[in-house]
Amino acid sequence: MFAAPVQVEQTTNARLIVSTQLSAGLRVTLRYRSDDPLAVRMLFPAEYAVDGAADEQVVSAEPEIEWVFARQLLADGLDVPSGEGDVHLRPTHGLRTLVELRSPDGVALLRFDRAELRRFLWSSYLAVPAGQELAGLDYDRALAELLA
């Protein structure tokens, strides 16, 4: 692992798109940890959780809901439509990026200011440069955690 784990955290505003006529504002915390260098996290207030949600991509912990996905997906999705499975990102006209989160209980569509997402991504690159994610990885420890 990297010598001293670094955490990058940024709180930003997003819009939860409910319909073409209705959206709700919410605060989202973006988090990156150098000891988990391939992933980024989006944390949402618990009141936005769907009751009964049981998807392995969503880690429920009071008082927040956490979605974890690849940092590279965030990087790609700022410029071109990206994603497979539960998380999709796509830039829109103007200065926004849409993030679509899918679970068996439904789909959530969120709109972010692209500059805010890009600022977070660049902050994560200061912690662990792009392409260097595996340079400090302790493979024995990672394998032990995976098999535990």
Side-chain angles (χ1 to χ4, degrees), residues 27-87:
R27 302 283 286 165
V28 177
T29 300
L30 305 169
R31 187 174 292 154
Y32 178 80
R33 298 187 337 231
S34 63
D35 61 344
D36 190 8
L38 297 173
V40 295
R41 291 164 165 72
M42 283 189 175
L43 294 92
F44 301 93
E47 63 264 22
Y48 289 93
V50 176
D51 288 337
D55 179 76
E56 62 265 7
Q57 294 296 324
V58 181
V59 180
S60 294
E62 291 298 330
E64 298 172 313
I65 306 302
E66 181 179 73
W67 280 73
V68 181
F69 57 95
R71 179 170 74 163
Q72 189 59 50
L73 173 59
L74 176 60
D76 294 344
L78 293 176
D79 298 316
V80 297
S82 302
E84 295 179 14
D86 296 338
V87 181

